[in-house]
Amino acid sequence: KPMVGTVEPEYVALYWSGELARRTERLERRLRSCDICPRECGANRLEGEVGFCRCTHRPIVPVACVHYGEEPVVSGTNGSGTVFFGNCNLRCVYCQNYQISQDGKSQRTKEIDPQALAERMLYLQNELCCHNINFVSPSHFIPQLVRALLTAVPMGLHLPLVYNTNSYDSIKSLRELKGVIGVYLADLRYASDKWGQRFSRVSDYVSQARAAIQEMYWQVG
């Protein structure tokens, strides 16, 4: 149950209405010819094919921990319950988490199922008393994130969700997160596609990221 004096996240109502399950099904169907992020690789991730992110249908979670290094309003006093997803849909040469974002082969050993992800979210909430669940680099794992949430809500999850992103996000995917995400923590890395291509191997970052941030703002202000 939510703590006294707190507002229940909208995703709880989405669960009880059945809308969260419908969104989960729509998102998972798209993994058959993946267009979850703007790269739209078309890989059949349900059958083990991989595209640019080198991920199949199982979420890769190298680390789930308390994090005090986010903005003060996110970390608070108890810390942010941070779930780091493995691999990434960018290849930034300056990545501070490159061991988990760019070593796709080693990260396959960190695959878990949505049930395990749900249990880690509840551990961050119930045992570590974090203020929120903070998904880092989630752009290529949105179906898995929503599936885990579908499992976690009846188990008692009630914390706000933070979407901590490089902003190279699909508008179609983000729209499935309306009412699910409480805080979008979005980077805006480039104002020139020239530098996006040079430093992150992405040719259309500027238009995609600006549109994504507009969608995030439309959802939560």
Side-chain angles (χ1 to χ4, degrees):
K1 294 290 184 181
M3 295 173 60
V4 174
T6 63
V7 177
E8 184 175 80
E10 189 176 343
Y11 66 71
V12 176
L14 293 175
Y15 172 85
W16 292 112
S17 71
E19 173 61 17
L20 195 63
R22 290 189 288 271
R23 295 188 191 184
T24 302
E25 292 171 2
R26 286 198 298 266
L27 284 162
E28 289 180 338
R29 283 197 297 269
R30 290 169 53 195
L31 290 172
R32 195 164 297 281
S33 179
C34 189
D35 65 350
I36 297 301
C37 92
R39 292 192 184 272
E40 298 187 350
C41 297
N44 186 346
R45 292 171 64 183
L46 296 178
E47 297 297 331
E49 294 180 8
V50 298
F52 187 89
C53 71
R54 297 168 292 189
C55 301
T56 60
H57 66 286
R58 289 163 60 89
I60 294 174
V61 181
V63 182
C65 63
V66 181
H67 186 37
Y68 296 96
E70 298 289 9
E71 285 75 358
V73 292
V74 175
S75 295
T77 55
N78 291 350
S80 179
T82 307
V83 177
F84 287 90
F85 286 110
N87 299 353
C88 187
N89 64 348
L90 296 184
R91 294 288 184 273
C92 301
V93 297
Y94 47 78
C95 182
Q96 63 182 357
N97 297 320
Y98 68 92
Q99 299 95 330
I100 65 175
S101 71
Q102 299 185 25
D103 188 355
K105 184 176 180 180
S106 70
Q107 290 308 301
R108 290 293 292 274
T109 65
K110 310 293 177 57
E111 286 185 346
I112 61 175
D113 58 34
Q115 174 72 33
L117 176 53
E119 291 171 357
R120 294 189 188 190
M121 293 157 62
L122 288 159
Y123 177 75
L124 293 169
Q125 172 186 279
N126 298 334
E127 303 300 325
L128 302 184
C129 302
C130 297
H131 297 296
N132 47 68
I133 304 298
N134 180 359
F135 299 109
V136 179
S137 299
S139 306
H140 53 310
F141 279 126
I142 291 176
Q144 295 85 347
L145 183 163
V146 178
R147 170 61 71 181
L149 186 62
L150 190 67
T151 302
V153 171
M155 297 168 68
L157 187 74
H158 57 75
L159 289 182
L161 304 183
V162 178
Y163 189 90
N164 192 336
T165 177
N166 59 36
S167 298
Y168 193 55
D169 284 287
S170 159
I171 302 301
K172 183 179 179 181
S173 297
L174 288 175
R175 286 176 178 163
E176 299 286 10
L177 296 178
K178 185 177 187 299
V180 172
I181 300 300
V183 175
Y184 283 103
L185 193 57
D187 291 345
L188 186 60
R189 299 194 175 184
Y190 304 105
S192 166
D193 284 329
K194 170 185 175 182
W195 302 116
Q197 179 64 48
R198 179 170 177 179
F199 295 122
S200 296
R201 288 179 56 189
V202 58
S203 63
D204 58 348
Y205 179 86
V206 175
S207 60
Q208 292 287 353
R210 288 178 178 178
I213 290 175
Q214 286 181 326
E215 174 65 23
M216 297 172 199
Y217 179 79
W218 177 77
Q219 289 185 21
V220 300

